[in-house]
Amino acid sequence: MRVHPQNNVNKVFDRNEAIGTRAVWAGEGEYMVEGATQVPVVHSVSFGYDDIDYWLEVAMEKKPGHIYSRNTNPTVRAFEEKVRILEGGEAATSFSSGMAAISGTLFTLLSPGDRVVTIKDTYGGTNKIFSEFLPRFQIDVQLCDTTDHDQIEAEIRKGAKVVYLESPTNPTVKITDLERLIRAGHEVGAICVVDNTFATPVIQNPIAFGADIVIHSATKFLGGHADALGGVAVGRKDLIKQIYHYREINGATLDPMAAYLLLRGMKTLHLRVKQQSESAMKIARFLQTQPLVDQVFYPGLETHVHHAIAKKQMKMFGGMLSFSLKGDIDAVRLFLPKLKFAHLAANLGAVETVVGPARTTSHVECTPEERAALGIPESLIRYSVGIEDPEDLIRDIQQALDYVAEKMPALLTT
Ligand code: PLP
């Protein structure tokens, strides 16, 4: 590949640069062609070498370069490098989706007879890996109550190969105390993995709390535009090497076009997350005043069960909130289609507000009984705040609530 000399710079990023500067510049320098200022989308499946000895050295990872895009690819590498620098990890490897990153990481680290300690409130798909797939391989899974840190810590102290955490959780935005639980995990020699999808590196860096591996569904806030699926695992070099090996052989590789879209989206990550956090706080406070709203879940609220932990480990409280309506699913049926500025869809973290009931989004895989056991009301609405003006979003929610009140006036007296 011919590289323009001006752009062939090895920029070194460190923690002195603010997250916004890193979001824009990190990972970008290496592959600029002909003076381009943007990373090229390299669709080529393979990479050719006239010199077969050099080719072998690249294949043996003794020289830099690419062989075959299921293994590595320049565009995909630039994406991995940006996430690695934002999370402050030693290495990163990407996947075709967040679930591929989660399953790839867990199946790399766990073998029959191992024990994994996790929380009940992980994303619904992740929960299925723990409840359905890992037990098939004789892996002992301990699912703990997310609100009971003493129980989680006690289970970790019994011994674990992996401690798997998520914070904030999906959809009731509970917070796990990363520093405390990672410390407990390391005391028993466990590898500590954190899904940081909801928080993003703008809000918290689990590696700074000791996490060995951080996972993202890049589909969500990292990409931010709901137009590309992807996942990534960042962290300790020795572990990422093993996870990369699992992925290159099992094949859940990130597509270069998706990598480009995610890379481009990440340049505005810090701006989006800041706006989304500020708006979410305003919307949560507004919802608290509404007679039709039963419960509001947002870690920035003083009433939130884990507000103190959230204040300790998060720089902002994020763009995700949820709330339940009085009147159960009948009220939800009236309320949701009335929203003007919201996609009713199974996604989150986008520039547009995205809304849906937990029972058709994050926890569609669960039965009503399983959702009840997780403390997820059937009328729970997950609200992923976009970058629209917050006053418009509040007005929008208000008119939809007014409509429900008009149709179900008895709710106002309950
Ligand atoms: N982790 C969390 C916290 C999620 O919310 C999701 C999806 O909603 C995933 C992982 C899975 O990501 P993907 O849909 O990219 O496979």
Side-chain angles (χ1 to χ4, degrees):
M1 183 181 285
R2 257 197 311 152
V3 179
H4 192 282
Q6 265 181 351
N7 286 330
N8 191 13
V9 282
N10 245 342
K11 295 193 177 91
V12 178
F13 292 86
D14 58 38
R15 293 206 155 266
N16 292 329
E17 280 122 12
I19 187 107
T21 311
R22 282 182 279 146
V24 173
W25 287 99
E28 304 250 328
E30 208 176 335
Y31 296 105
M32 301 304 195
V33 185
E34 305 278 349
T37 60
Q38 302 303 317
V39 172
V41 187
V42 180
H43 285 291
S44 186
V45 161
S46 59
F47 300 83
Y49 294 90
D50 292 338
D51 179 338
I52 59 164
D53 296 320
Y54 190 90
W55 179 2
L56 183 64
E57 292 209 81
V58 175
M60 303 298 287
E61 294 177 24
K62 289 185 182 149
K63 287 246 180 335
H66 305 278
I67 299 289
Y68 187 63
S69 282
R70 171 158 48 74
N71 314 116
T72 67
N73 167 284
T75 317
V76 171
R77 178 55 64 74
F79 162 75
E80 292 168 343
E81 196 49 10
K82 199 184 271 297
V83 185
R84 183 191 76 71
I85 292 167
L86 290 183
E87 283 291 8
E90 291 171 0
T93 192
S94 59
F95 290 84
S96 54
S97 70
M99 282 316 301
I102 292 164
S103 62
T105 298
L106 290 170
F107 280 104
T108 300
L109 300 178
L110 292 163
S111 302
D114 284 341
R115 180 165 190 266
V116 50
V117 176
T118 186
I119 49 173
K120 287 184 184 162
D121 278 71
T122 51
Y123 163 64
T126 311
N127 190 279
K128 281 285 157 194
I129 304 237
F130 286 125
S131 57
E132 191 179 327
F133 290 95
L134 292 181
R136 272 177 35 196
F137 297 90
Q138 285 76 51
I139 292 160
D140 176 18
V141 179
Q142 183 62 48
L143 291 168
C144 302
D145 180 345
T146 314
T147 54
D148 187 348
H149 276 71
D150 290 340
Q151 190 223 344
I152 309 172
E153 198 172 328
E155 286 299 339
I156 293 172
R157 291 201 184 284
K158 290 181 193 164
K161 177 78 190 292
V162 169
V163 171
Y164 186 97
L165 304 170
E166 195 180 304
S167 190
T169 63
N170 193 347
T172 47
V173 282
K174 295 189 185 105
I175 306 294
T176 47
D177 189 330
L178 297 178
E179 200 169 9
R180 173 177 171 184
L181 299 176
I182 290 169
R183 194 185 321 114
H186 284 164
E187 277 169 22
V188 297
I191 297 165
C192 298
V193 183
V194 178
D195 182 334
N196 204 27
T197 300
F198 270 35
T200 83
V202 176
I203 289 180
Q204 80 193 3
N205 284 118
I207 290 172
F209 299 121
D212 300 294
I213 297 168
V214 173
I215 292 181
H216 280 275
S217 165
T219 317
K220 308 294 186 299
F221 287 96
L222 292 189
H225 292 71
D227 54 5
L229 285 164
V232 63
V234 190
R236 263 171 53 188
K237 202 173 187 171
D238 57 328
L239 298 174
I240 296 297
K241 196 169 176 208
Q242 294 169 38
I243 296 166
Y244 161 73
H245 180 59
Y246 180 94
R247 195 267 290 149
E248 68 162 335
I249 300 305
N250 286 274
T253 303
L254 181 63
D255 180 76
M257 191 62 210
Y260 175 78
L261 290 168
L262 298 170
L263 196 57
R264 185 172 66 167
M266 279 167 61
K267 291 189 186 213
T268 55
L269 178 69
H270 55 300
L271 302 177
R272 288 186 277 109
V273 169
K274 185 167 178 285
Q275 179 64 55
Q276 286 162 321
S277 295
E278 283 170 16
S279 300
M281 190 74 225
K282 285 184 185 165
I283 293 168
R285 289 216 190 281
F286 161 77
L287 287 168
Q288 275 188 313
T289 66
Q290 294 306 298
L292 279 187
V293 174
D294 197 21
Q295 281 175 285
V296 185
F297 302 91
Y298 186 62
L301 295 176
E302 296 74 13
T303 50
H304 187 277
V305 59
H306 295 137
H307 179 63
I309 308 172
K311 254 173 57 181
K312 186 181 73 164
Q313 70 188 24
M314 299 172 81
K315 295 188 190 89
M316 296 170 245
F317 298 109
M320 295 301 302
L321 58 93
S322 57
F323 56 98
S324 57
L325 291 183
K326 290 179 186 160
D328 224 328
I329 197 66
D330 291 336
V332 175
R333 271 198 197 96
L334 291 171
F335 174 79
L336 287 181
K338 272 287 172 197
L339 292 173
K340 185 174 165 191
F341 301 122
H343 286 304
L344 306 190
N347 194 24
L348 60 96
V351 287
E352 301 93 3
T353 294
V354 187
V355 181
R359 64 185 219 158
T360 44
T361 55
S362 60
H363 285 68
V364 67
E365 291 94 348
C366 301
T367 61
E369 295 72 30
E370 284 171 333
R371 283 192 290 270
L374 290 169
I376 300 174
E378 290 295 288
S379 73
L380 190 78
I381 294 169
R382 189 178 72 180
Y383 194 96
S384 167
V385 183
I387 60 168
E388 304 92 340
D389 189 290
E391 302 310 325
D392 283 333
L393 295 179
I394 287 171
R395 262 195 299 276
D396 194 30
I397 296 171
Q398 178 76 74
Q399 61 81 29
L401 287 172
D402 289 347
Y403 179 73
V404 178
E406 191 189 307
K407 295 286 170 193
M408 299 175 80
L411 291 179
L412 291 173
T413 53
T414 55

